[in-house]
Amino acid sequence: MLMMSMFTQCMVLAFGFPGLPELMVVLLIALVLFGGAKLPSLMRNLGRSANEFKRGMAETTDDEEDETHSPSGKA
C-alpha cells in the first residue's frame, strides 16, 4: 500500500494535474465522440453513478462501525 501511494505521488509530481488546455482537449474529444445532444445525459448519468457510489461507500462504513460497536462483536 505504501509503495502504491509513493508511485502515485511520483506520477503526480512527474506529470502534474491536468490544466485548462488538457481539460479543453478532453471535452472537445468527448463532444466529437458523443455529440452535443448526448453529452448532457451522459454527464447526468455520470453524476448519478458517482452519487450512488458515495452512498454505497457511506453505507459500508456505517455497517463496519455498527459491527465494531456491537457488544458481542457479532452483528
Side-chain angles (χ1 to χ4, degrees):
M1 185 71 172
L2 178 64
M3 190 60 129
M4 186 62 174
S5 65
M6 289 174 50
F7 176 74
T8 305
Q9 289 174 355
C10 290
M11 294 301 291
V12 168
L13 290 176
F15 296 109
F17 291 105
L20 185 60
E22 290 87 2
L23 292 176
M24 294 294 282
V25 169
V26 169
L27 288 175
L28 182 67
I29 291 171
L31 184 62
V32 168
L33 286 176
F34 299 112
K38 281 204 163 217
L39 210 52
S41 65
L42 286 172
M43 293 298 114
R44 188 177 312 113
N45 289 335
L46 182 65
R48 287 178 183 165
S49 64
N51 285 335
E52 182 66 28
F53 179 75
K54 288 179 187 177
R55 267 195 302 262
M57 291 300 292
E59 288 175 4
T60 302
T61 305
D62 291 342
D63 290 343
E64 289 175 357
E65 288 176 1
D66 290 343
E67 288 176 4
T68 58
H69 294 316
S70 64
S72 64
K74 297 181 183 178

